[in-house]
Amino acid sequence: MAAHLKKRVYEEFSKVVQLPQEEAPAKKLRLSKPSKSAALHIDLCKATNSTDALQYLLQFARKPVETESVEGVVRILLEHYYKKENDNSVRLKIASLLGLLTKTQGFNPDCIVDDAISTINNEKSHQVLAQLLDTLLVIGTQLPDSTTVKQRLIAVACKHLSDTYFGVRNKCLQLLGCLGTVDTPMTRDGEGLVMSTGASGAVGVRDVQSVISDYFGDQDPRVRTAAIKAMLQLNERGMKIHQIIYEHACRLLCDDYEQVRSAAVQMVWVLSQLYPESIVPIPSSNEEIRLVDDSFGKISHMISDGSWVVRVQAARTLGLMQHVSPWFLEQTLDKKLMSNLKRKCTAHERAKELFASGEFSSGRKWADDAPKNKVDTDAVNLIASGACGAFVHGLEDEMYEVRIAAVEAVCALAQSSASFAEKCLDFLVDMFNDEIEEVRLQSIHVLRQISKNITLREDQLDTVLAVLEDKSRDIREALHELLCYTNVSTKECIQLALLELLKNLTKYPTDRNSVWKCLKFLGSRHPTLVLPLVPELLSTHPYFDTPEPDMDDPAYIAVLVLVFNAAKSCPTMPALFSDHTFRHYAYLRDSLSHLVPPLRLPGRKQMFGVESGSEPGSGSGSVESAQQFLQQSLARVSTVQNLEAQGAQDLLDFTIRDLQRLGELQTELAGAADFCATYLRCQLLLMKALQEKLWNMAVPLCLKQNAMATAAARQILEETYKLEFLYSGLENRQVAMIHHVRLQAKALQLVLTARTKRGVEPLINLCEKFLQEVESFQRSFLMELPHFQESFVEKLLELMPRLSSCKPVELVKILQTTLRQGGLLPIKLPEQIQRASATIIEPTGESDNPLRFTTGLVVALDIDATLEHVQNPQATVKVQVLYPDGQSHVIHPKPGDFRNPGPGRHRLITQVYLSHTAWTEPCQIEVRLLLAYSSTSSSLSSHKVGWGDSTDGLPQTESTTEGTIPFSKPVKVFIMPKPARR
């Protein structure tokens, strides 16, 4: 019985009650990086000597430091600096690291100011002290708004200005120049007074400028240079330098060291711009002169300096001088002192000198009435005799750098003075014969810039035209450009220019287009001078018929271009034309319309006498009407949502055709019209790919339609890259529209992939990548999202939480529905859109004679092309050569092959080397220009790089798409690789 009760008791107390299991809270993992400060501390503790410590510091300097670790690292470095390190090289490296760490973005250096100042006060080594002062300079520039810190740093700099080491004084002066302020007026009472600083550290007796000016006379030239640069730094910060500094700067122009004289030249120029009308006395004379004229004379004198560096600096500075008196400018072109720059004695002064000379001459002594004292020319001249003919000396200098600087300075001064431009013309023309090509080229460019103020005489033109014999293509084309905008004085000049240009055309046939363009402008600028030459140029006779010239002759075409452009402004000239000249005009007007203008030809309707664009004022009206037509077309397209599928496609087709034709007729709107047509073509392809019948049929029944949709998606992607990289002037809104279309094309590709491939695994990576694209779009164009209402991307962003957690199949269905519901975004054009284009001038592709070369060797093919509206062509333009067997070679031209003749224009002159195996007969290769692009879909990860330059170990989530876009018409060239002889 007892056993039974015991069993029941056990049963009652051993019941198992199952409670509902509570879910344990999820544990969050926090990834922490190893502390940089701890690692540095361990490394420095392991160092047994100064060499090991220096090696550890050098290794640490190569690694990036996060913003949050900077303060700990600085504390470790300062602790090691104070307690353990006695070696100067290690302390110098620590001071350098402190300056680098202070520059870390996001770090506030205010917390280490006290430690840095304390370190400087206890430092004995001059080199380390200079490096620590450089660190203080970095701290001061990082805290521009902290007045207290600035005052403390200025006090430290003033304290160490008396250091015996030049590097310390240099850094102190640099710190004063970057942080000093003009708070107190200058006092010159206590010249021997030692500068004192109050409790706040501010300068108590004299201001910063007077302190810096004391070191203009320092015994070390490096300190004198640093003092001048510190004063210039004050000027760059907006502080007005006192005029009294001008005397010090003028004395420094005679310094023994070139770096001091070079800096002094810059200081004199700054003061001449601050106080141009101030009056300064001439030494050893009672005369006074404007400060800008005096400084111009002193800088002109430096053109004869013994150092070519100073001469270059002086020449460049002269080009920056403004408001200089005309006679001072003209004196730089004459080595003899002009009479108006000499001091003239008045009649009263001459009578006074005669009276002071004593008695009259008796004639008993030889030359007893001669002047008692020899006249000192330096004492009576308003300008130093050494400054006379400054530009003559500069243009004849032995160093080509000085000659280039002098040419540029003459150009700058001639642009502001027409009289000076006329007088310097002979000197610039003489520079065309310089031995250095760079000097000759720069002289031509300079004369081109001042051509509006000059007219060339026949002797000057003869010297200019002699340059056409130069072997350099750049020189010849620059001279053609100069002749386009130059005025000549007589008809003999026109005849001489034409004769030399025709010789140039015969000797260098590749200059054909440049010579024709030159003669076009030469004729349009001098119609009255060309008129008396027409019978001789066209070989006409009043009684006899002359033979008809050959129209394939480039020289004859050049003569016609000159005559026809002159005839545009001379209505009596067509009466001198013969019958074949009118026929040739019609031919050239069609084939070379950019060189031959429309003419009024009386009684000859077949010659297309007056064209619509030739009337004055009609051009601007046609552009306005074309602009209105463009806006109407875009407004009409915005109603495409209200039409059925077929009607919408037809409307887009017609609009694209109209816009393409508009771009052909109006070159001013070609970029905008082509951009809109390409964008609408993308929308049309997308609309055709999303047709109803394609998505309501089983996949095996519409394989052809699936292939068409895949090709359409691929073409849309290609067109979007063209829209983004082939057009310049786009705003952020247009770029967002392009990325929106690209996102739709990628969604279409994802849907088509899901329809044609089996299994879920291939879709997972594609879906993740697409969601990253959507997030990248949201980050990049956050400010533009309000313009994307009722669009594909707006609906995607609304469904983003659901898309991130759903399965790939469901994601594909959502994308398919959203794609078909998305509407057409309205196009808003910016002010100006330009389309990048290229035209290959050489080779022309017209020759039937093949380029023959031996198999295994190479042949050079000259490429000459003009580029319009291409940004950074040195990095993006490539040459593609396509062989008949399908091989394709892409060549990247050298940066030196690109020229920049004008804004938005570039010229590519290069050589492409061809090689191939033996062929049985000549075949054509295709040469075209490509525009390379690199599109980044998402930016670098949010990790910020610290003070180091390395990005190793940082996760990068960007995906870059690289490709090329053909942007020139292909040119076909015959080549013939022949087998090698055995």
Side-chain angles (χ1 to χ4, degrees), residues 174 295 304 354 390 403 406 820 861 869:
Q174 187 178 357
S295 61
S304 305
L354 182 62
R403 300 200 295 273
R820 298 179 61 187
L861 179 65
H869 309 295

Side-chain angles (χ1 to χ4, degrees), residues 847-976:
S847 176
D848 294 333
N849 297 324
L851 290 174
R852 301 180 183 273
F853 60 96
T854 304
T855 300
L857 302 180
V858 296
V859 63
L861 179 65
D862 292 325
I863 303 291
D864 182 6
T866 58
L867 313 176
E868 299 283 344
H869 309 295
V870 179
Q871 298 177 350
N872 192 16
Q874 290 85 354
T876 57
V877 175
K878 301 179 186 297
V879 181
Q880 182 188 42
V881 180
L882 195 62
Y883 291 92
D885 59 354
Q887 292 187 32
S888 176
H889 293 171
V890 177
I891 300 97
H892 194 167
K894 297 178 293 186
D897 294 337
F898 293 91
R899 281 80 169 171
N900 186 10
R905 296 171 52 213
H906 289 85
R907 183 83 176 272
L908 172 62
I909 302 176
T910 186
Q911 282 189 331
V912 173
Y913 296 101
L914 310 176
S915 182
H916 212 278
T917 56
W919 296 354
T920 57
E921 61 182 13
C923 289
Q924 289 180 333
I925 61 169
E926 285 190 358
V927 180
R928 70 179 68 188
L929 296 183
L930 304 178
L931 190 70
Y933 65 85
S934 176
S935 175
T936 303
S937 60
S938 57
S939 58
L940 198 70
S941 120
S942 58
H943 294 270
K944 289 185 179 179
V945 181
W947 57 279
D949 296 330
S950 174
T951 56
D952 298 338
L954 291 181
Q956 296 188 11
T957 60
E958 64 175 9
S959 60
T960 303
T961 304
E962 296 182 350
T964 56
I965 304 170
F967 72 118
S968 74
K969 293 181 180 179
V971 175
K972 295 183 178 181
V973 181
F974 269 106
I975 66 170
M976 176 57 188

